[in-house]
Amino acid sequence: MPQATETDRRSETTPSALPQAYAHCASVVREQDHDRYIACLYAPESQRPALMALYAFSLEIARVRALVSEPLPGEVRMQWWRDLLEGQSAGEVQAHPVAAALLDTIARYRLPIAPLTGLIEARIFDLYDDPMPSQRDLEGYAGETASALIRLASIILANGRDPGGAAAAGYAGVAYALTGLMRAFPWHAAEGQVYLPGDILARNGVTRDDIVRGRGGPGVLYSLKEMRAIARGHLGKLRELRATIPPAVMPAFLPVVLVEPYLKRMERSGYDPYRTIITMPAWQRQWAIWRAAKAAG
């Protein structure tokens, strides 16, 4: 079966349905990823729908585990998305607003397909309870997910051109992803998921079973301390590359401004990785993003 071209895929959704599809994506991002939603508001209005479609797609892939009772049905859902991106799911787009908006965004901004399918491949790890083998594997996972999103958002903000700043996007995404995984530690541990790398856990005398049974003790705290240092290392590299980020694509990087405040909250007295919810009031997050946007402008 010949693969559909970008124009063919885009034409599968009637133009009249696209505004509703994009509005649905904006609603999804506003409800499920408010930090990125706020950052999108600092992008030109004409580019916001495409950014929302990209982020809504990421959220769809991230929530697959929660929708299935075992890995195999999750892999089937992931394969549907891969087939869609590769032009093998003709006729199914209109029933899924996120898919419709994403394909239109791909066509409008000439987004490469490989990073999108790479994100799906990386997220297959989420379907299983296998521990993350090593720091290198974790950084690779973060690169294929969060870094890829920053890179793709940058292309949208550059109107389909290569804006540069790929290395900066890599460091930014890893710092953001590692911090997000540490914030999600209580929920992941309860679900039997362990994203702390096996080599770091081994150095601190902790096993996967220790974590999922809530008995990691000081070893878990030491492991998370190492993770915070790694995240800050990537932030430092990002700062060194700040000049390589064109001002036009800064909205793609804005959520990263929240990494350091989140990390500092993990270092407060009484922090319990199993019970402490690491968050910030909405107004503080919005203020931090506004300040970063103003400084970039």
Side-chain angles (χ1 to χ4, degrees):
M1 174 181 177
Q3 289 193 358
T5 65
E6 288 183 351
T7 302
D8 294 334
R9 289 198 297 266
R10 182 174 165 184
S11 65
E12 290 170 4
T13 302
T14 59
S16 61
L18 283 171
Q20 292 181 339
Y22 278 114
H24 172 79
C25 291
S27 177
V28 168
V29 177
R30 183 175 62 248
E31 294 173 4
Q32 300 181 31
D33 193 347
H34 199 252
D35 293 344
R36 283 197 176 102
Y37 177 81
I38 294 299
C40 284
L41 300 183
Y42 293 95
E45 187 174 358
S46 62
Q47 295 164 339
R48 291 175 200 167
L51 294 172
M52 298 293 185
L54 175 65
Y55 297 149
F57 159 73
S58 175
L59 290 167
E60 284 286 329
I61 301 303
R63 74 188 189 106
V64 167
R65 177 179 170 120
L67 299 176
V68 298
S69 57
E70 55 186 35
L72 184 56
E75 293 222 29
V76 171
R77 285 176 179 263
M78 298 288 202
Q79 186 62 48
W80 183 87
W81 280 100
R82 277 195 296 261
D83 290 345
L84 183 80
L85 292 169
E86 293 168 357
Q88 299 175 28
S89 297
E92 300 180 24
V93 177
Q94 293 192 45
H96 201 302
V98 175
L102 177 66
L103 292 185
D104 186 66
T105 292
I106 290 169
R108 287 179 184 273
Y109 292 95
R110 301 183 296 279
L111 295 185
I113 299 299
L116 294 165
T117 57
L119 184 151
I120 295 170
E121 290 291 336
R123 285 288 189 178
I124 289 177
F125 178 87
D126 301 352
L127 302 177
Y128 296 86
D129 292 339
D130 299 331
M132 186 66 71
S134 68
Q135 176 184 334
R136 182 176 180 179
D137 290 306
L138 177 60
E139 290 172 326
Y141 171 91
E144 295 289 336
T145 54
S147 298
L149 277 186
I150 294 174
R151 180 66 173 154
L152 290 165
S154 296
I155 294 174
I156 291 171
L157 290 162
N159 287 312
R161 298 185 299 274
D162 182 351
Y171 290 119
V174 175
Y176 192 76
L178 265 57
T179 303
L181 291 172
M182 286 186 280
R183 292 178 61 212
F185 182 92
W187 296 280
H188 288 156
E191 290 290 325
Q193 291 179 283
V194 178
Y195 288 88
L196 298 184
D199 51 358
I200 292 179
L201 293 178
R203 283 199 296 271
N204 292 293
V206 183
T207 67
R208 174 196 174 275
D209 287 346
D210 290 333
I211 290 178
V212 299
R213 294 177 182 176
R215 64 185 188 195
V220 171
L221 292 174
Y222 294 143
S223 297
L224 288 167
K225 182 178 181 180
E226 285 196 45
M227 286 274 286
R228 291 195 296 273
I230 294 167
R232 285 189 169 115
H234 284 271
L235 280 183
K237 294 290 187 180
L238 174 61
R239 284 192 290 269
E240 293 173 6
L241 294 172
R242 174 64 180 79
T244 69
I245 306 172
V249 307
M250 280 304 298
F253 288 81
L254 287 178
V256 184
V257 74
L258 301 173
V259 166
E260 184 60 36
Y262 285 141
L263 294 177
K264 287 182 177 177
R265 279 164 172 74
M266 298 176 199
E267 294 168 336
R268 291 178 175 176
S269 175
Y271 169 61
D272 181 343
Y274 288 96
R275 294 176 178 83
T276 305
I277 306 303
I278 301 299
T279 189
M280 295 166 59
W283 71 267
Q284 287 186 4
R285 290 182 277 124
Q286 293 173 19
W287 175 253
I289 291 172
W290 175 81
R291 290 185 63 187
K294 185 178 181 181

